[in-house]
Amino acid sequence: MSKIGIIMGSTSDLPVMQEAIDILASFGIETEVDIVSAHRTPDKLFDYGKNAHHRDIKVIIAGAGGAAHLPGMIASLSPLPVIGVPVKSSNSIDGWDSVLSILQMPGGVPVATVALNGAKNAGILAAQILGSANSEILEKIVAYKESLKQKVLEGAKEIKK
């Protein structure tokens, strides 16, 4: 079965990235989770980027804070779609350093970028990418979106009472 790779620069990113892990689990999608630091483990980064597709990974979600080079470096090495999650770290400039590092990629090295700490959306986007070629996953996405709609409609009923 196809997997989503979820990588992050350090264990301090896990509380944010857990949202991607959780939403993908709710869709029944297998994940491979690892710590891959662009600056502290460059050999591991190169190996991961060049070989993830050989392990049946179909999309990579990469979360990083600060200079946030992990998503872009993985995208430069891998033929897979990469979704970057800018993580607001304790030494960050309100997270803007991470957002801009991931968002401003050069032509030819695309990284889809979600909101600051937006790992849940990264997980949903990764599931939608898989769902474009897998009807079982697509049906789960349709049901999820319907549940979002129902929550809004229920809230609207409550507010009118």
Side-chain angles (χ1 to χ4, degrees):
M1 174 157 202
S2 301
K3 294 181 275 192
I4 303 293
I6 299 176
I7 56 175
M8 61 206 85
S10 70
T11 55
S12 65
D13 299 331
L14 185 57
V16 169
M17 300 305 288
Q18 188 66 47
E19 290 190 26
I21 297 165
D22 293 344
I23 194 74
L24 288 165
S26 77
F27 294 135
I29 298 171
E30 186 180 350
T31 58
E32 175 187 280
V33 181
D34 204 352
I35 305 294
V36 180
S37 172
H39 302 108
R40 294 174 292 244
T41 59
D43 292 335
K44 184 175 183 179
L45 175 135
F46 271 75
D47 180 61
Y48 191 95
K50 289 183 175 192
N51 294 304
H53 64 286
H54 295 299
R55 294 189 308 280
D56 204 28
I57 291 176
K58 300 298 183 196
V59 181
I60 299 170
I61 299 172
H69 290 128
L70 180 60
M73 287 301 299
I74 286 294
S76 75
L77 296 163
S78 179
L80 300 174
V82 176
I83 303 168
V85 179
V87 176
K88 185 175 181 181
S89 56
S90 59
N91 61 348
S92 114
I93 308 166
D94 285 334
W96 280 108
D97 46 351
S98 304
V99 170
L100 294 174
S101 290
I102 298 171
L103 186 64
Q104 293 294 94
M105 292 303 301
V109 188
V111 174
T113 309
V114 295
L116 186 64
N117 290 347
K120 182 176 183 178
N121 274 353
I124 294 167
L125 180 56
Q128 289 174 313
I129 292 168
L130 286 184
S132 69
N134 181 312
S135 61
E136 184 180 323
I137 294 172
L138 185 62
E139 289 174 21
K140 291 176 182 180
I141 296 293
V142 169
Y144 175 76
K145 291 198 176 251
E146 180 63 27
S147 76
L148 295 177
K149 176 179 122 182
Q150 291 306 316
K151 285 180 188 175
V152 170
L153 294 175
E154 289 169 17
K157 281 182 189 176
E158 287 298 315
I159 203 165
K160 289 183 181 184
K161 287 183 181 180

